[in-house]
Amino acid sequence: MSATWGFQSLSANELNVLYVVRLLSDEVNNLDAEAADIRDHTITASMSQPTLNRTIRSLIEKGYLEPAPNYKTKRYRLGPKGAEIDLGLMTGAVRCQ
C-alpha cells in the first residue's frame, strides 16, 4: 500500500523530517521551513543535529526537499517528489521517536 504513497523507500527519520517540513510549510501557506523549526519540532526534536543534517541532505538528493534560495538561514521547501505526497496519507507512516 505504501508504494502508492510514493515514500516506501524512505527511512523513519526521512519520513519524520518530510512530514515536519510539510506541516511547517502548510502552517505558513506553503512557505519555506527554517532548519531551526524543523529541529525543534516535537517529532524531530530527539534527532541529533548530525542525523538531522544527513536526513535533510538525503531528502534533497532524492528530490523530496530542496534548499530555499536567498536566505541567510537554512530553509527548505518541498521538492517535486515531496509536493506530490498527501499529508493525510503520511500521518500513519510517521513514527515518533
Side-chain angles (χ1 to χ4, degrees):
M1 185 174 215
S2 64
T4 61
W5 297 346
F7 52 84
Q8 71 279 5
S9 65
L10 299 180
S11 70
N13 284 339
E14 289 170 329
L15 281 171
N16 289 343
V17 170
L18 184 59
Y19 185 73
V20 167
V21 171
R22 187 71 185 250
L23 284 175
L24 292 171
S25 54
D26 281 351
E27 287 175 4
V28 290
N29 299 318
N30 291 322
L31 296 180
D32 307 320
E34 191 168 344
D37 293 333
I38 299 168
R39 181 190 65 235
D40 295 339
H41 195 279
T42 306
I43 293 172
T44 51
S46 65
M47 272 188 212
S48 69
Q49 189 64 50
T51 298
L52 180 61
N53 292 341
R54 280 191 304 273
T55 302
I56 289 172
R57 194 169 36 251
S58 176
L59 287 168
I60 290 170
E61 290 170 3
K62 293 177 180 181
Y64 288 94
L65 293 181
E66 55 188 36
N70 305 322
Y71 287 104
K72 289 185 180 184
T73 59
K74 292 184 179 181
R75 292 177 186 243
Y76 303 93
R77 61 177 59 150
L78 295 172
K81 287 184 177 180
E84 294 174 2
I85 296 175
D86 186 309
L87 187 61
L89 293 177
M90 286 188 71
T91 303
V94 171
R95 300 170 196 98
C96 292
Q97 300 182 4

